[in-house]
């Protein structure tokens, strides 16, 4: 019987950490007013894009985890019925 592997959280966690770091940099630079309006707009749209990427990564992980949990439960039920 093939081994059932739990899905990895690494892509979702990595993109989330990148988003948090970019948010901190954005807030700190906005507080110091070291960036021009164009730079602020570019960083803002980068934040929006990265936020969309984070949401996609978490949805993908959750789908894989739900499939993993269902498959694991079905294997447990099949194993009990064989006994």
């Amino acid at each position: 019987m093939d081994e059932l592997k739990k899905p990895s959280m690494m892509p979702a966690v990595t993109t989330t950490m990148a988003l948090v770091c970019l948010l901190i940099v954005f807030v700190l630079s906005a507080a110091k007013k070291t960036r021009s309006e164009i730079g602020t707009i570019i960083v803002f749209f980068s934040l929006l894009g990265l936020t969309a990427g984070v949401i996609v990564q978490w949805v993908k992980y959750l789908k894989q985890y739900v499939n993993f949990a269902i498959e694991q439960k079905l294997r447990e039920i099949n194993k009990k019925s064989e006994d």
Side-chain angles (χ1 to χ4, degrees):
M1 189 184 268
D2 59 322
E3 181 79 23
L4 190 60
K5 290 186 178 180
K6 192 173 184 178
S8 175
M9 288 182 69
M10 285 305 292
V13 171
T14 304
T15 54
T16 302
M17 289 175 61
L19 178 63
V20 169
C21 291
L22 191 58
L23 280 169
I24 290 171
V25 168
F26 180 69
V27 168
L28 291 176
S29 68
K32 294 180 183 177
K33 297 196 183 259
T34 58
R35 184 172 282 132
S36 67
E37 289 182 20
I38 300 296
T40 303
I41 291 170
I42 291 171
V43 172
F44 178 73
F45 283 112
S46 299
L47 283 171
L48 287 178
L50 190 56
T51 302
V54 167
I55 291 170
V56 166
Q57 289 295 327
W58 278 107
V59 168
K60 190 186 306 184
Y61 167 74
L62 289 174
K63 284 182 181 179
Q64 291 173 353
Y65 187 79
V66 167
N67 288 338
F68 164 77
I70 291 171
E71 183 70 26
Q72 186 178 27
K73 198 64 158 173
L74 287 173
R75 286 184 183 197
E76 287 176 10
I77 291 171
N78 286 337
K79 191 174 182 180
K80 287 180 182 178
S81 66
E82 289 176 359
D83 293 340

